[in-house]
Amino acid sequence: AQKITQTQPGMFVQEKEAVTLDCTYDTSDQSYGLFWYKQPSSGEMIFLIYQGSYDEQNATEGRYSLNFQKARKSANLVISASQLGDSAMYFCAMRDLNNAGKSTFGDGTTLTVKP
Amino acid sequence: DGGITQSPKYLFRKEGQNVTLSCEQNLNHDAMYWYRQDPGQGLRLIYYSQIVNDFQKGDIAEGYSVSREKKESFPLTVTSAQKNPTAFYLCASSIVGGQGPYEQYFGPGTRLTVT
């Protein structure tokens, strides 16, 4: 079975500073993907970044980077130069790449960016 | 513009009534999903479908039913057997197979309140 753990229910960061949101996972699958999504207060889920289990390099997308440590089973999201618009809930998720239905989300971290 | 539409945005029903939530996508994705989100929590998978006329139960399928008669449409019925139906419901779609990254595209959600 898959499991995602996000241990930080809430985080605060000063505008323009960097912040790391933690995510650890557990799975017996060999081929899996790790995802981060952002959910603003309006409720829609926005895809941020993806890391495949076989990717050797950490993924980056603009101000977002994923610190992937396979041996530790962690996939932390780093947001650089935080903006007020980054205030939202952030979810870590994983999916078995051989089974579209095996998709698991963590409980999320609420990030608040302070001016 | 391609995307996922869910209607209505807010839905109110009396206890004991069945209610159907609409989900339509024009992304030509094979896989579609229904998730439930309770306040302050992550997403839990209700049902998913990887192909027309086929679908599988997720982690919390009891009290729900779905159909997949067309590739574009994946309606969810919340039956009177669902004990705590009040929640935020999100529909998603994704590609399957190929090279990935297989991220899910989400609709805006339907907030269901049953009294």
Side-chain angles (χ1 to χ4, degrees):
Chain A
Q2 298 176 338
K3 185 175 172 62
I4 294 282
T5 302
Q6 294 181 253
T7 57
Q8 306 154 314
M11 289 281 287
F12 292 89
V13 65
Q14 209 67 37
E15 194 178 7
K16 300 181 185 176
E17 291 186 350
V19 63
T20 298
L21 306 184
D22 294 341
C23 172
T24 57
Y25 63 92
D26 193 20
T27 182
S28 56
D29 300 321
Q30 294 301 309
S31 179
Y32 54 89
L34 294 155
F35 305 81
W36 277 92
Y37 292 87
K38 172 184 178 180
Q39 187 179 42
S41 56
S42 55
E44 80 269 26
M45 296 283 284
I46 303 166
F47 166 70
L48 296 177
I49 195 166
Y50 163 82
Q51 179 86 40
S53 57
Y54 291 111
D55 295 338
E56 295 184 354
Q57 299 230 343
N58 286 343
T60 59
E61 287 287 348
R63 294 187 299 112
Y64 304 108
S65 60
L66 199 153
N67 184 359
F68 180 47
Q69 298 189 44
K70 194 170 182 178
R72 293 187 176 184
K73 294 190 174 180
S74 74
N76 298 339
L77 176 71
V78 180
I79 305 175
S80 63
S82 297
Q83 301 171 356
L84 296 178
D86 293 335
S87 293
M89 198 146 182
Y90 289 80
F91 291 97
C92 180
M94 73 179 301
R95 173 176 161 178
D96 178 354
L97 297 184
N98 294 316
N99 182 346
K102 284 182 69 178
S103 181
T104 304
F105 284 74
D107 287 336
T109 295
T110 300
L111 176 67
T112 302
V113 180
K114 295 181 173 180
Chain B
D1 288 335
I4 299 181
T5 56
Q6 289 185 246
S7 60
K9 192 175 176 79
Y10 298 95
L11 191 54
F12 298 88
R13 279 292 182 272
K14 294 288 187 186
E15 196 174 324
Q17 293 179 335
N18 291 354
V19 60
T20 297
L21 281 58
S22 165
C23 177
E24 304 275 333
Q25 56 103 354
N26 60 3
L27 299 167
N28 200 33
H29 286 169
D30 287 310
M32 296 187 74
Y33 310 78
W34 274 106
Y35 291 94
R36 169 183 172 136
Q37 186 179 28
D38 293 289
Q41 297 187 25
L43 279 63
R44 291 184 290 167
L45 183 63
I46 305 173
Y47 269 99
Y48 67 97
S49 167
Q50 298 188 66
I51 195 169
V52 173
N53 292 324
D54 188 46
F55 46 83
Q56 285 77 42
K57 293 181 180 180
D59 300 320
I60 56 164
E62 186 176 348
Y64 299 97
S65 66
V66 293
S67 63
R68 186 89 186 274
E69 297 177 0
K70 298 186 299 182
K71 187 175 184 178
E72 302 79 20
S73 179
F74 191 41
L76 172 74
T77 297
V78 184
T79 74
S80 55
Q82 169 50 234
K83 293 178 181 171
N84 292 300
T86 295
F88 186 52
Y89 291 87
L90 283 158
C91 178
S93 71
S94 75
I95 62 169
V96 292
Q99 297 299 310
Y102 313 105
E103 75 271 24
Q104 294 177 337
Y105 291 75
F106 285 83
T110 292
R111 213 165 283 277
L112 173 65
T113 302
V114 177
T115 56

